Amino acid sequence: MSKLIATSAIRGAHSLYNRAEAAYNAALAAKGADEPVSFPDTAYYLPVAYALLAIKVKTLGDIKPVLAKAKSMLPEIPAEGAWLPYLGNTLDSGIAALLSEEIIEAMKYVMGPNPVEGIWLGATDDVIVRTQGIKLVDGSMPGFAAVVGAAPTTEEAVKLATELRERNILLFMAGETDGKTMADQLNEAGVEMGWDVYLVPFGRDISAAVYALGVAARAAMTFGGITPAGMKEAREILMYNKNRVFAFVIALGDVDDEKYATAAGAINFGFPVIANTDIPQILPTGITTYEHVVSNVPLDKIVDTAVEVRGIKIKITKIPIPVSFGSAFEGERIRKEAMFVEFGGQKSPAFEYLRMRDMDDIDNGKIEVIGPEIDQMEEGKAYPLGILIEVAGRKMQSDFEPVLERQLHHLVNGAEGIWHMGQRDMNWMRISKSAHDKGFKIEHFGEILKAKLMDDFPAIVDKIQIKLYTDADKMKDVLEEARAAFIARDERVAGLIDESVDTFYSCTLCQSFAPNHVCVISPERLGLCGAYNWLDAKAAHEINPTGANQPIIKGETIDERRGQWSGVNELVRAKSNNSVQKVNAYSIMEDPETSCGCFECVVAILPIANGVMVVNREHTGETPVGMKFSSLAGSVGGGAQTPGFLGVGRQYITSGKFIAAEGGFKRIVWMPKELKEALAGQLKKRSEALGLPDFVDMIADETIGTTEEEVMEYMAKVGHPALEMDSLLG
Amino acid sequence: MALTGIDIFKQLPKTNCGDCGVPTCLAFAMKIAAGQAELAGCPHLSEDAASALSEASAPPIRAVTIGVGEDAVKVGGELVLYRHEKTFFNPCVFAAVIDDGMDAATIDGLLKQTNESRFVRVEQDLKAGLVGVKSLSGDTAKFTALIEKVKAATTQPMVLMCGDPAAIEAGLKAAGETSPLIYAATADNYEAMAALALEHKAPLAVCGTGDLDALVELVKKIMAAGVKDIVLDPGTRNPKDTLERLVYIRRAALNKKVKELGFPTIVFPNEETEDKMMEAVYAGLYVGKYGSVIMLSDLNAARALPLYVLRQNIYTDPQRPMQVKPGIYPIGNPTADSPVLITSNFSLTYFIVSGEVEGSRVPAWLCVMDTEGLSVMTSWAAGKFVPEKIVPFIKGVGIEEKVKHRKLVIPGYLATMSGELEDELEGWNVEVGPREAADIPPFLKSWAS
Amino acid sequence: MEVKETYNGKIREATIGLGDTAVTVGGETSLPLYMFEGTAPNKPVIALEVYDTKPEDWPEAAVAPYADVLDDPVKWALKCQDEYKADMICLNLASTNPSTGDRTGADIAPIVKAVSDAIKIPLIVYGTANADKDAEVMPKAAEACQGKRALIGPVEEENYKTVAAAALGFDHLAAPHSPIDVNIAKQLNILITQLGLAPERVIIDPTTGALGYGLEYCYSVMERLRLAAMTQNDSMTQMPMINQIGREVWKAKEVKTPEADEPAWGDAETRGVLWEALTATALIMAGSNILVMRHPKAVELTRQFVAALTG
């Protein structure tokens, strides 16, 4: 912390204290100690004093201990050139300043002039705190700004007010610069003010700024359920504000001592100060969530800076595009005749790629079309389109890139008259004639993605910028980088093994119909529905920490071969309502995992053939185990452990951990032809990795037989390795 | 701990001979494990294996059959305390009690109710199940006359109610070999009653005194006499005590394997209150909490229907939802211009959607597709409510002959397939309806205007 | 016989209203109605429904008890309180439904205030479960009855921040509403308590299915919540529960159809009353603490049932 600020703040606090003491003594002399003192319509007395000191001021006499406390917190004004341990002292002086300011304002209610006069609103009643507080809690009002001083010009004042209002940020005004206040400026410009329009002029005096902290303190008491009692509660009230009330101070014009002191008070609440003048900065984070004081910010950047420094999330309620948006349009198709232009689909180069950047590298909200816009495109033709989405977030991880990128399909399809399929550099999009007629442009892809990614993933996306390349040459480099990234991602996924992580994830999405079922999702065993792999579950947990995907610390290894860990057992026990005591992640015979009902495939043992068969959901015919998929599903599903049977996702079949306890992949003796073909590449790769290049051909299918006997005949003929393996039944 | 399919399989011949009607031994084992097949189905089972398995696979609560032929009812056989754990298997049955002190008109009225109290709901035939015939007078002749009258009037199996073994003996003869439920053996008459039950192959109710330990002792003796099919009356006659006993009986059978309590139960709400509405409310308690045979004073339709529906709800398999018949359901006299909606045949979906359509007062055609009883989203996810299934259904169900227009409203949650469906469903326009049923009325109103 | 269970969990007590007429629910130490294994210091209570506008589609049997007050929510509420001895009033803001009345929060605030000022017994105020609309309406409704410690619902996953904040800000209780799903019910409770609402101010609305219309789903979900609360001591399932029974029951086909149309179904009033009473009692068996009901005769049967089973 700058010594300059510290010294000013301390001086300011002394000055405010002296004013408070003088006003108090005058009131006491005129009215006596029993004179009632209150702000109108509040059950919180003088709210700052009540919140921080637990003192219920009802009469003039009750103010005495408040003044005494303020005085006790006033540090010595440091001598010129003396070193001083600043932060604690400065913060204390801030509290002393707020307590003093509250007394100054309260004395106005006792002695006059009434703070409510002309444009000035004075103290805030409880109903308004509650009504506005709801908006703060639910996020429809992302935060509030307390402006002290005046803007350089009336126009700039109006512009600042408009910018804040556009973001639904409540603006409190108090204090003047050179005899002028921001509220005066708005008034001159004919701007209507009041709570309804989010512009609240408290008072001309800097001491009126304390009303903003009074609102903050009451928000904490009302919505945080904190009843003042002492230091602990006072700290809770301050912490509530730091963590939940996204407020900040905008200091306009010269910052005098009393303003510094007030700002120091606000910092106690975790509210940072943004100034348009060149005052010393305090950047290291600590008391406030991020920076404390950021100075010399041009007026037109002040709102963005404030929003960023305070970490405020603005809700986008309507996407600014000329066509409707909603899930009802997701399934629309656009036929060739109805199409205006298309992108990708082998007809033109196209890609979609989302990557993570550093916070500072992103110009938040910027959408850039690089190349021709739609008005330079001809009907019926295909054009290049590269979509590069860059996001940053304090909780963003590169592993979440593909998770967010996959959202693109569903998001773009939500726009009426826009169609999307595929992914990565194999995507395909169309804009319909009707969407084009309504004015849909290339940049609107950016608007959709910006709005939805920010809105749907606030936990991980803090900032976003989007580049839309419609010029094939200019997108070359990015496309190359994207392709390299796709390969790197695939390698990362392929390289992830269960042993390389200490955390798995649970999935209990299906408990609505399988009450005791828990999926344990590990890098090598995706959810049995096939929809959630380990990375997805990890991201889902980050996005929704109370949701269906919870981290499982593996804990102690109980059985390495069968895949049993203490942490997994504990979690499964708890989440299965105590009905499953232990699970072996890699076994089908002994304490296998349960299955809900959504599995893509069922693995069943063929005990006489000493192997297993796999049947996928789409296969409706007979199988060698003597049950069709539907009756197998009935036996396996519902969340009970069923030795000999396992519901799995398709990708698990070729995982290195596929029923590893029973010998793994080499146990497979039968699967439907369709499934074999769908997984041909992976099956081949896995066979080769096991040193059995011809293994896939040893797996029987329905064209070879649908009885265990036929399968055994075939196995004997081809020399299937399962014949030589240990008996499945032990 | 129930046996797994693998445990059972190990005892089977492992020949996949198919003589049991199931292609493989493992599949047969899985059926036994699920309670869908009996061990006796395997003709090649070794004696050792049979005894090893039957001991372990015997259900903790015996399923008891009352009556013979088509109208016989099976009660008990339950495996769980809470229906969500698996399901309640054999629906409880109701019986109106007719006694020999009633005048002829009352008796005729009750017999008429017994025969006519039938409702069809979600493809299920709802009825009482039994009829109670009670000797109030103690006069054997009057009792047998009444039994003969009931037997002539209805095919519903009887509960013969009298504490005197001699009267029961006469009653059993009058009833013919119809396996009625004998009510009841007590500590005083159990030897004679047990002998009658064995002789006439009739299940026997055992009436306790409220003391479950005493009931266990009594049942032990009756079992020792060779009676297998037993129904338990805890002997209490107020709902608070009865509930407690029924909970303890079910728990003892399932959790503690108390064999003497591993039987279905019989309860008497008709004797627990004079008020017929309260009687129905108490009957409802026993539908949910472990009553198997529930005795009523009558089967008045306005009280019976809600009880039957409650039983239907409670005894639905939570993992196998109730289904309605696929087809076209006209709601409110629709015309050739009325809207056409499609939904799944999950009964709850159907009920809610049809209710909202009805509530909108816009006549409409509701096409209900066979989704195997799955709800809209689940069936879509399972590939049962997708264009390739919808197209043949719409083309084949006959809706094209009923309406002039070609506009099909699909559930809002299926918006993602609207385009694909429109491509494949030739000649039709696909419209996306609301996601929630509650929004159907405004949707239809604006559709119609 | 050693089959008595001991439970390690307990349902929280929640108090609605203030002063002498406040009603406390919850506090059970066993599964519902299992008086032989625990205590239930507070019996299930019954709230009678009042609507902010005259209902148009009620069957005759449901209209009859209220025929003289249906167009005046205040008189209606007083009749429920004074004549039918309701434990609470549930004011349904049906006219705010966007597809029917679409009235705003400002429109209904005076009604909420009038009803809340007129009655002595505790108030429940319910929106239409339209998440966006309720987010606009319920803060106004909560403000209109501030100081009464009412129960505000339904709080949906999509609007919990706003509606629960309204309950929090105006010092009421909140009823999170989950779609027949144990995990969503728990999750919503976690979210709401994280927002700052004490767990003692939360009443679970698990979604109510009427007899024949999804009752079994509701029954099992509630039973599961209660089992988790009692046997696993799962804190986020230990709140009391509320069921909206009247409005679900009285739209069922078997309840609305007059005897003239279906003679085989018997007297319509008897049928409707029992339909409602059986729905209510089944849900008490599953763990309901607050039953929002319509017909006074069904209320009477439910009360007798509670008295007989817990007395």
Side-chain angles (χ1 to χ4, degrees):
Chain A
M1 155 138 357
S2 144
K3 186 191 161 197
L4 193 65
I5 290 189
T7 310
S8 282
I10 294 170
R11 271 204 310 260
H14 277 271
S15 151
L16 285 165
Y17 175 79
N18 291 338
R19 283 170 59 193
E21 192 179 34
Y24 173 67
N25 287 336
L28 196 63
K31 308 260 180 176
D34 294 335
E35 174 72 10
V37 177
S38 72
F39 289 136
D41 299 314
T42 178
Y44 295 93
Y45 316 99
L46 303 190
V48 174
Y50 180 50
L52 300 182
L53 307 178
I55 295 173
K56 299 175 179 177
V57 172
K58 293 176 203 158
T59 65
L60 278 176
D62 295 337
I63 287 182
K64 211 175 176 87
V66 179
L67 260 182
K69 186 72 189 168
K71 191 171 184 181
S72 76
M73 294 181 80
L74 280 177
E76 294 274 318
I77 297 175
E80 267 330 295
W83 178 89
L84 100 168
Y86 17 76
L87 185 63
N89 276 347
T90 314
L91 290 175
D92 279 356
S93 69
I95 296 291
L98 296 182
L99 293 171
S100 301
E101 287 179 334
E102 197 168 54
I103 292 168
I104 294 168
E105 290 297 314
M107 290 311 99
K108 292 179 185 168
Y109 277 95
V110 175
M111 300 293 285
N114 191 332
V116 183
E117 195 231 331
I119 55 172
W120 304 110
L121 297 176
T124 308
D125 69 41
D126 284 353
V127 170
I128 291 177
V129 171
R130 295 193 159 129
T131 321
Q132 302 298 331
I134 292 169
K135 296 184 203 161
L136 273 177
V137 174
D138 76 10
S140 56
M141 180 201 289
F144 71 76
V147 169
V148 293
T153 65
T154 301
E155 292 70 40
E156 283 169 292
V158 173
K159 192 157 168 283
L160 177 61
T162 311
E163 276 185 57
L164 288 165
R165 276 196 61 189
E166 279 172 356
R167 291 166 172 79
N168 281 339
I169 296 174
L170 187 62
L171 175 61
F172 295 139
M173 291 167 280
E176 48 189 25
T177 306
D178 301 330
K180 189 146 238 160
T181 68
M182 180 163 167
D184 289 332
Q185 294 174 316
L186 296 181
N187 192 38
E188 276 166 29
V191 176
E192 194 201 331
M193 289 181 281
W195 285 97
D196 294 343
V197 292
Y198 285 56
L199 298 172
V200 181
F202 277 138
R204 182 171 297 282
D205 193 336
I206 181 66
S207 59
V210 79
Y211 293 131
L213 285 318
V215 170
R218 277 182 284 168
M221 290 187 272
T222 307
F223 293 94
I226 309 163
T227 307
M231 275 309 288
K232 177 176 159 281
E233 289 75 16
R235 197 171 297 124
E236 279 172 13
I237 287 167
L238 295 176
M239 287 308 288
Y240 184 92
N241 274 282
K242 179 191 164 188
N243 294 329
R244 307 215 188 194
V245 180
F246 295 99
F248 53 91
V249 178
I250 298 178
L252 297 178
D254 285 341
V255 180
D256 61 26
D257 291 348
E258 291 189 356
K259 284 182 189 161
Y260 271 122
T262 308
I267 290 173
N268 278 289
F269 281 72
F271 303 162
V273 179
I274 319 292
N276 69 334
T277 54
D278 188 9
I279 61 172
Q281 305 214 97
I282 309 177
L283 296 178
T285 67
I287 307 290
T288 59
T289 304
Y290 307 122
E291 294 81 3
H292 296 200
V293 177
V294 183
S295 68
N296 214 10
V297 180
L299 209 60
D300 60 348
K301 287 276 178 214
I302 217 160
V303 175
D304 277 340
T305 309
V307 164
E308 190 181 312
V309 167
R310 190 63 183 97
I312 294 177
K313 307 270 183 191
I314 311 275
K315 255 184 127 77
I316 299 169
T317 43
K318 197 184 171 309
I319 306 169
I321 51 172
V323 296
S324 304
F325 188 90
S327 57
F329 306 107
E330 265 179 45
E332 268 182 314
R333 289 214 167 164
I334 296 166
R335 295 189 188 83
K336 190 124 182 94
E337 318 81 68
M339 172 192 97
F340 179 69
V341 284
E342 65 187 321
F343 312 95
Q346 317 280 314
K347 296 180 173 68
S348 61
F351 71 90
E352 55 204 46
Y353 172 44
L354 183 142
R355 73 177 171 200
M356 182 183 147
R357 301 287 300 270
D358 287 337
M359 292 288 260
D360 292 343
D361 295 339
I362 287 190
D363 190 350
N364 193 18
K366 187 171 177 190
I367 296 167
E368 222 181 326
V369 178
I370 298 163
E373 241 305 348
I374 200 163
D375 43 20
Q376 288 158 271
M377 295 180 182
E378 275 177 53
E379 184 175 317
K381 293 203 166 162
Y383 290 89
L385 179 60
I387 302 177
L388 172 66
I389 306 164
E390 295 175 298
V391 302
R394 284 178 164 86
K395 287 178 129 181
M396 182 67 193
Q397 302 179 14
S398 60
D399 275 349
F400 301 162
E401 288 176 351
V403 177
L404 291 175
E405 191 179 285
R406 263 184 289 156
Q407 295 296 318
L408 197 134
H409 170 72
H410 138 85
L411 297 179
V412 169
N413 266 333
E416 184 180 13
I418 312 299
W419 173 85
H420 174 279
M421 70 175 281
Q423 53 170 333
R424 292 185 169 180
D425 55 348
M426 292 175 298
N427 60 352
W428 187 7
M429 281 167 287
R430 280 177 170 174
I431 296 176
S432 73
K433 284 177 191 161
S434 72
H436 174 250
D437 291 345
K438 286 178 189 157
F440 192 91
K441 292 175 151 187
I442 303 299
E443 66 170 72
H444 293 130
F445 283 116
E447 294 289 353
I448 295 167
L449 295 169
K450 170 179 119 183
K452 294 303 286 179
L453 288 171
M454 292 279 268
D455 211 36
D456 292 356
F457 302 95
I460 52 177
V461 180
D462 290 336
K463 292 172 91 176
I464 186 166
Q465 70 184 11
I466 294 163
K467 295 195 177 92
L468 300 151
Y469 295 89
T470 51
D471 182 313
D473 285 338
K474 289 185 180 144
M475 74 192 236
K476 264 189 189 147
D477 291 350
V478 191
L479 179 56
E480 235 164 78
E481 189 203 315
R483 283 184 174 141
F486 297 149
I487 291 168
R489 277 183 201 166
D490 289 346
E491 281 170 356
R492 155 111 174 111
V493 172
L496 269 178
I497 56 171
D498 289 0
E499 289 81 0
S500 65
V501 301
D502 55 13
T503 306
F504 295 163
Y505 289 88
S506 65
C507 182
T508 49
L509 267 179
C510 294
Q511 286 201 346
S512 49
F513 60 91
N516 298 330
H517 172 69
V518 186
C519 258
V520 176
I521 301 177
S522 70
E524 291 179 274
R525 191 180 201 270
L526 78 170
L528 49 75
C529 59
Y532 277 76
N533 66 27
W534 184 78
L535 288 176
D536 297 321
K538 186 176 170 208
H541 172 67
E542 205 61 63
I543 291 160
N544 181 1
T546 60
N549 299 109
Q550 294 296 321
I552 313 173
I553 308 294
K554 272 158 60 178
E556 205 181 302
T557 302
I558 295 170
D559 188 331
E560 194 172 345
R561 191 172 66 92
R562 295 191 177 85
Q564 194 183 137
W565 302 269
S566 61
V568 173
N569 282 347
E570 274 161 41
L571 180 122
V572 168
R573 214 172 290 149
K575 298 255 175 203
S576 72
N577 305 311
N578 227 12
S579 72
V580 178
Q581 297 302 315
K582 52 182 178 174
V583 290
N584 287 320
Y586 312 144
S587 175
I588 189 173
M589 294 306 292
E590 243 177 277
D591 298 310
E593 292 207 11
T594 59
S595 306
C596 47
C598 316
F599 33 78
E600 289 185 299
C601 302
V602 172
V603 184
I605 60 161
L606 294 175
I608 305 171
N610 203 34
V612 303
M613 52 159 271
V614 187
V615 57
N616 53 314
R617 185 173 286 276
E618 294 73 19
H619 185 78
T620 51
E622 292 292 348
T623 75
V625 76
M627 293 183 259
K628 293 182 182 177
F629 182 87
S630 53
S631 51
L632 270 170
S635 312
V636 180
Q641 288 181 312
T642 317
F645 301 83
L646 207 54
V648 299
R650 285 176 174 220
Q651 301 303 319
Y652 178 59
I653 298 169
T654 49
S655 155
K657 296 296 191 294
F658 175 77
I659 58 168
E662 283 82 23
F665 188 70
K666 289 184 291 187
R667 279 281 184 189
I668 302 177
V669 299
W670 188 91
M671 59 167 78
K673 203 172 171 58
E674 182 198 344
L675 182 63
K676 256 204 235 177
E677 281 164 9
L679 296 177
Q682 287 153 273
L683 293 173
K684 191 161 183 334
K685 217 170 133 189
R686 180 79 185 124
S687 306
E688 283 164 1
L690 288 169
L692 296 165
D694 302 327
F695 180 70
V696 182
D697 296 329
M698 298 180 189
I699 303 175
D701 59 35
E702 70 274 21
T703 62
I704 290 160
T706 55
T707 65
E708 198 167 3
E709 289 67 32
E710 286 166 313
V711 172
M712 284 160 68
E713 245 171 69
Y714 185 74
M715 286 167 71
K717 196 172 109 193
V718 298
H720 194 288
L723 292 170
E724 305 297 318
M725 292 166 84
D726 292 344
S727 164
L728 264 177
L729 297 177
Chain B
M1 173 86 192
L3 289 179
T4 67
I6 299 291
D7 296 333
I8 296 166
F9 172 81
K10 288 178 180 170
Q11 303 286 343
L12 297 180
K14 305 186 192 69
T15 52
N16 293 350
C17 68
D19 291 348
C20 57
V22 179
T24 67
C25 292
L26 181 57
F28 178 65
M30 291 304 287
K31 275 185 173 263
I32 293 175
Q36 294 161 352
E38 311 244 335
L39 266 182
C42 176
H44 310 295
L45 197 63
S46 76
E47 235 167 75
D48 288 352
S51 68
L53 283 175
S54 63
E55 182 70 10
S57 68
I61 296 178
R62 187 173 172 83
V64 171
T65 300
I66 304 168
V68 289
E70 264 182 32
D71 286 310
V73 295
K74 190 153 104 178
V75 288
E78 301 303 334
L79 295 173
V80 293
L81 284 169
Y82 310 104
R83 57 183 293 282
H84 67 263
E85 293 175 301
K86 185 146 187 83
T87 184
F88 287 179
F89 286 97
N90 295 308
C92 57
V93 292
F94 301 101
V97 178
I98 301 172
D99 69 54
D100 60 3
M102 290 172 172
D103 60 39
T106 309
I107 292 171
D108 289 343
L110 289 173
L111 283 170
K112 189 165 183 284
Q113 279 181 349
T114 297
N115 283 331
E116 293 181 359
S117 178
R118 283 175 178 245
F119 309 91
V120 174
R121 195 170 186 279
V122 207
E123 335 274 296
Q124 288 181 8
D125 190 15
L126 308 181
K127 58 174 185 171
L130 294 176
V131 56
V133 187
K134 182 172 180 176
S135 166
L136 264 191
S137 61
D139 176 339
T140 302
K142 268 179 109 174
F143 188 41
T144 50
L146 182 60
I147 289 169
E148 271 155 17
K149 182 169 185 176
V150 172
K151 194 184 171 205
T154 178
T155 56
Q156 301 303 296
M158 287 182 266
V159 185
L160 302 186
M161 308 170 71
C162 185
D164 173 8
I168 289 290
E169 183 167 19
L172 282 166
K173 283 186 184 134
E177 295 306 308
T178 57
S179 281
L181 174 62
I182 302 170
Y183 183 88
T186 61
D188 299 331
N189 67 13
Y190 74 89
E191 284 165 320
M193 289 292 197
L196 287 170
L198 284 175
E199 184 190 341
H200 293 273
K201 294 195 180 70
L204 177 61
V206 181
C207 180
T209 56
D211 178 345
L212 290 186
D213 291 321
L215 184 62
V216 168
E217 289 311 311
L218 181 55
V219 171
K220 195 175 274 173
K221 292 176 198 159
I222 292 170
M223 288 172 78
V227 178
K228 289 203 169 75
D229 289 325
I230 292 172
V231 176
L232 305 173
D233 173 5
T236 49
R237 288 297 181 269
N238 76 75
K240 192 179 175 187
D241 291 339
T242 306
L243 174 67
E244 177 185 334
R245 305 303 190 276
L246 293 183
V247 169
Y248 283 167
I249 288 173
R250 174 76 69 103
R251 262 195 213 146
L254 296 183
N255 297 349
K256 306 276 177 188
K257 309 284 177 231
V258 178
K259 277 190 221 135
E260 291 79 11
L261 297 181
F263 295 103
T265 62
I266 180 168
V267 288
F268 295 84
N270 61 330
E271 296 178 18
E272 295 183 334
T273 172
E274 297 283 308
D275 178 341
K276 294 195 174 185
M277 293 296 268
M278 280 316 293
E279 175 187 318
V281 171
Y282 295 153
L285 172 70
Y286 304 132
V287 171
K289 291 287 179 184
Y290 318 141
S292 314
V293 177
I294 300 173
M295 307 306 282
L296 300 172
S297 56
D298 67 19
L299 297 174
N300 171 294
R303 293 193 302 272
L305 175 61
L307 275 178
Y308 296 171
V309 173
L310 180 62
R311 172 181 60 187
Q312 184 179 38
N313 280 172
I314 297 290
Y315 280 85
T316 297
D317 183 346
Q319 281 154 28
R320 203 167 309 191
M322 283 196 279
Q323 306 182 21
V324 294
K325 210 158 109 194
I328 304 174
Y329 289 78
I331 300 176
N333 298 318
T335 66
D337 297 314
S338 299
V340 177
L341 296 86
I342 185 168
T343 194
S344 80
N345 78 328
F346 174 34
S347 67
L348 194 54
T349 305
Y350 164 78
F351 276 131
I352 291 170
V353 170
S354 62
E356 294 294 347
V357 173
E358 210 170 302
S360 77
R361 303 213 172 92
V362 177
W365 303 97
L366 181 60
C367 297
V368 174
M369 202 173 101
D370 182 6
T371 58
E372 295 173 25
L374 299 178
S375 69
V376 168
M377 282 303 275
T378 321
S379 59
W380 170 74
K384 299 184 194 306
F385 202 178
V386 291
E388 58 191 273
K389 300 269 166 79
I390 297 174
V391 172
F393 168 69
I394 287 292
K395 294 284 177 189
V397 77
I399 190 68
E400 294 190 332
E401 289 84 62
K402 299 216 186 279
V403 292
K404 284 188 291 190
H405 67 83
R406 289 290 179 267
K407 283 183 253 177
L408 178 66
V409 180
I410 63 169
Y413 280 106
L414 298 190
T416 48
M417 70 169 190
S418 61
E420 193 191 343
L421 180 60
E422 194 163 285
D423 282 357
E424 292 180 20
L425 191 58
E426 245 170 79
W428 284 78
N429 290 318
V430 173
E431 295 180 7
V432 177
R435 289 161 83 99
E436 301 296 336
D439 298 324
I440 288 176
F443 176 85
L444 285 182
K445 279 174 195 158
S446 72
W447 197 97
S449 60
Chain C
M1 184 141 323
E2 277 312 307
V3 285
K4 216 173 204 165
E5 287 274 351
T6 47
Y7 304 95
N8 54 12
K10 183 186 170 188
I11 305 302
R12 281 191 189 79
E13 290 195 312
T15 302
I16 303 157
L18 293 166
D20 296 346
T21 56
V23 169
T24 300
V25 292
E28 299 89 329
T29 61
S30 69
L31 287 179
L33 301 181
Y34 285 17
M35 306 301 290
F36 41 90
E37 297 177 326
T39 55
N42 308 293
K43 311 290 176 241
V45 296
I46 292 166
L48 278 171
E49 292 179 322
V50 171
Y51 284 79
D52 61 349
T53 37
K54 185 173 180 172
E56 298 297 336
D57 53 352
W58 285 20
E60 177 50 36
V63 168
Y66 304 104
D68 52 335
V69 294
L70 282 177
D71 48 8
D72 184 338
V74 171
K75 282 189 192 154
W76 186 348
L78 288 172
K79 183 166 193 171
C80 292
Q81 170 185 282
D82 300 331
E83 192 174 331
Y84 298 133
K85 308 291 179 213
D87 298 309
M88 295 189 222
I89 296 297
C90 179
L91 178 60
N92 278 295
L93 304 176
S95 71
T96 63
N97 187 335
S99 58
T100 50
D102 205 20
R103 287 207 285 180
T104 65
D107 294 339
I108 52 82
I111 302 175
V112 176
K113 182 162 173 28
V115 170
S116 100
D117 287 346
I119 58 173
K120 295 196 291 278
I121 53 179
L123 178 68
I124 302 169
V125 187
Y126 247 67
T128 56
N130 179 307
D132 290 343
K133 190 60 197 259
D134 283 351
E136 186 266 317
V137 170
M138 298 317 288
K140 295 278 187 296
E143 182 182 340
C145 60
Q146 61 177 301
K148 305 281 178 171
R149 220 174 166 85
L151 173 59
I152 305 292
V155 176
E156 310 273 338
E157 207 174 359
E158 297 79 18
N159 67 13
Y160 78 93
K161 284 183 178 167
T162 308
V163 181
L168 189 54
F170 292 102
D171 201 23
H172 300 304
L173 291 85
H177 172 236
S178 41
I180 319 195
D181 186 309
V182 171
N183 286 316
I184 295 179
K186 281 168 64 173
Q187 190 189 348
L188 206 44
N189 286 344
I190 294 169
L191 292 171
I192 288 181
T193 48
Q194 278 178 355
L195 203 66
L197 200 68
E200 292 73 25
R201 282 165 68 184
V202 175
I203 310 279
I204 299 171
D205 177 343
T207 297
T208 303
L211 178 56
Y213 294 82
L215 173 75
E216 69 274 31
Y217 294 89
C218 174
Y219 181 93
S220 283
V221 159
M222 291 172 67
E223 203 163 55
R224 285 172 56 196
L225 282 165
R226 279 297 169 258
L227 281 165
M230 302 316 301
T231 63
Q232 292 165 49
N233 203 9
D234 181 342
S235 166
M236 283 297 124
T237 61
Q238 290 173 328
M239 290 80 166
M241 294 194 272
I242 181 171
N243 291 97
Q244 290 284 350
I245 291 164
R247 65 160 197 231
E248 296 302 321
V249 163
W250 290 91
K251 68 182 182 195
K253 187 174 170 189
E254 290 86 345
V255 171
K256 284 174 90 165
T257 308
E259 187 175 6
D261 293 0
E262 285 284 356
W265 289 0
D267 177 59
E269 191 198 69
T270 306
R271 198 185 333 129
V273 165
L274 197 56
W275 211 274
E276 185 169 19
L278 281 175
T279 304
T281 52
L283 295 178
I284 290 173
M285 291 156 62
S288 189
N289 300 84
I290 303 175
L291 305 123
V292 183
M293 299 182 64
R294 183 168 298 174
H295 202 290
K297 289 185 180 171
V299 170
E300 199 40 51
L301 292 172
T302 307
R303 287 218 164 102
Q304 281 187 42
F305 173 83
V306 169
L309 271 300
T310 63

